[in-house]
Amino acid sequence: MAGFTPYVVGAAKKEKQADGEAGGSAATHGQPGSELDMIRVIELLKPPSALAPLFSDVGAQTDTGYFSRQQARAVLEGYIKGRQLVDAKNPRMVKLDHRLCDGLLTKEEHSKLSTYPREKLQARLQEKMTLYTQVVLPGGPTPVKIGNPPCAEI
């Protein structure tokens, strides 16, 4: 318990960040509580083969083939804007093309829908992509594994 550092919450955390910015880089490897000494769980997403053409049309590639949730969201937004699929009457609605239909909609929805809400398309994209997790330990990263991270009891 000698090296215990309490978790900083709320306003105290903001003050600590402001002090760190003003005083330079306070977090260095080896100091208790530094970001390098923390265990982190990183969620990664991998597009299935049905979504691969959508990602390749945008030119979205990563070295590992995995994307963060923000990157996946940006890929879909880039595709929508690049193809000018935003509905002119309602910007929240997206006109569906063959790539979006094939990758994100069910077979029943293909013929029934011509537009779809942007938020629901984003949610569908996240559902369709395969979840991978990586636990990063202080000694270095561990391999990426499919599914949710293992439960840890503290």
Side-chain angles (χ1 to χ4, degrees), residues 47 50-62 67 70-85 97-100 104 122 125 129:
L51 289 172
L54 187 138
F55 278 73
S56 65
D57 283 355
V58 176
Q61 294 179 354
T62 59
F67 296 88
Q70 294 83 8
Q71 288 171 328
R73 186 176 185 85
V75 166
L76 184 59
E77 287 298 322
Y79 182 82
I80 291 169
K81 289 179 183 174
R83 300 281 177 157
Q84 299 175 350
L85 298 175
D97 68 352
H98 67 284
R99 294 269 193 244
L100 293 174
L104 299 175
Q122 289 289 356
L125 177 72
M129 294 182 77

Side-chain angles (χ1 to χ4, degrees), residues 25-40 136-141:
S25 177
T28 59
H29 187 62
Q31 291 182 350
S34 72
E35 189 173 317
L36 297 174
D37 286 341
M38 297 177 69
I39 297 173
R40 296 180 293 144
V136 180
L137 301 171

Side-chain angles (χ1 to χ4, degrees), residues 42-46 55 66-77 122-133 147-149:
I42 301 171
E43 284 188 346
L44 302 167
L45 300 170
K46 191 169 190 177
F55 278 73
Y66 303 109
F67 296 88
S68 68
R69 290 191 186 276
Q70 294 83 8
Q71 288 171 328
R73 186 176 185 85
V75 166
L76 184 59
E77 287 298 322
Q122 289 289 356
R124 287 271 179 105
L125 177 72
Q126 307 265 329
E127 288 172 10
K128 296 276 184 176
M129 294 182 77
T130 308
L131 175 67
Y132 288 80
T133 53
N148 289 321

Side-chain angles (χ1 to χ4, degrees), residues 75-125:
V75 166
L76 184 59
E77 287 298 322
Y79 182 82
I80 291 169
K81 289 179 183 174
R83 300 281 177 157
Q84 299 175 350
L85 298 175
V86 178
D87 188 18
K89 295 177 184 174
N90 185 355
R92 291 184 176 179
M93 299 297 283
V94 175
K95 299 176 202 169
L96 298 173
D97 68 352
H98 67 284
R99 294 269 193 244
L100 293 174
C101 287
D102 292 344
L104 299 175
L105 300 180
T106 63
K107 296 207 183 260
E108 296 82 31
E109 293 172 325
H110 276 257
S111 59
K112 294 180 183 177
L113 299 172
S114 61
T115 60
Y116 203 70
R118 188 184 300 223
E119 308 87 43
K120 290 186 179 181
L121 273 179
Q122 289 289 356
R124 287 271 179 105
L125 177 72

